Amino acid sequence: MSGQEVTHTVTGGTAVVRTLEAHGVEAVFGIPGTHNLAVYEGLASCPEMTHVLARHEQGSGFMADGYARAGGRFGVCLSTTGPAALNVLTPLGTAFADSVPVLSIASEIPSRGLGLGKGFLHECADQLGCYTPVTKFSARVTEVEQIAPAMCTAIAEMTSGRPRPAALDIPCDILDADGIVPD
């Protein structure tokens, strides 16, 4: 088996948590909801990572900002889709203006509904586009296997040069899906 890569099947939510863990993240701030429960299931199997429950998504963003400022590492906030993700824009704007690295991970409506305007629960016409003015990097992940590489790119972008926030959108069906990822 020499030279062969070891892989495992995990959910997208678990891939998010494993990638955060691989980058030394010890705390995340957020609110669980219908669209991001797979991430919280992944957090349940990672006792080394502390989750701090916010009462409002804006609070989770400001907590991640404060954590980054106080600790000298990047902060992470988790939100659900649409209005919840948009509530994180104000703290991301603050972090952007003050050069603070904050990673926002937001769920999205199911992939099959993106761009159709069919009225999915918490659908936002252009959730990903809303991040452009307040982030250095933003992207949408469309496969479980893309989660770790996209998160690594986001972390590298927000922590290199002038630090600034980054945002990732991950459709809820991708968070729930199984995918094969390197160990």
Side-chain angles (χ1 to χ4, degrees), residues 82-142:
L86 299 182
N87 283 335
V88 178
L89 294 177
T90 298
L92 290 180
T94 299
F96 187 88
D98 292 346
S99 301
V100 179
V102 173
L103 177 60
S104 170
I105 301 171
S107 58
E108 248 294 8
I109 65 169
S111 301
R112 71 183 185 281
L114 290 170
L116 299 179
K118 296 289 185 181
F120 279 85
L121 178 66
H122 296 275
E123 183 176 6
C124 178
D126 187 10
Q127 180 175 308
L128 184 61
C130 292
Y131 292 113
T132 302
V134 294
T135 61
K136 184 177 182 180
F137 173 86
S138 61
R140 176 172 295 132
V141 177
T142 58

Side-chain angles (χ1 to χ4, degrees), residues 27-33 36 39-40 43 50-64 76-80 88 105:
V28 295
F29 307 88
I31 299 177
N36 69 356
V39 175
Y40 283 87
L43 282 170
T50 300
H51 175 265
V52 179
L53 182 65
R55 290 183 179 236
H56 189 275
E57 295 84 8
Q58 195 174 72
S60 70
F62 280 123
M63 285 189 255
V76 179
C77 60
L78 305 172
S79 69
T80 61
V88 178
I105 301 171

Side-chain angles (χ1 to χ4, degrees), residues 22-49:
H23 282 87
V25 173
E26 297 174 352
V28 295
F29 307 88
I31 299 177
T34 298
H35 294 99
N36 69 356
L37 290 178
V39 175
Y40 283 87
E41 289 169 359
L43 282 170
S45 65
C46 185
E48 302 82 24
M49 196 174 303

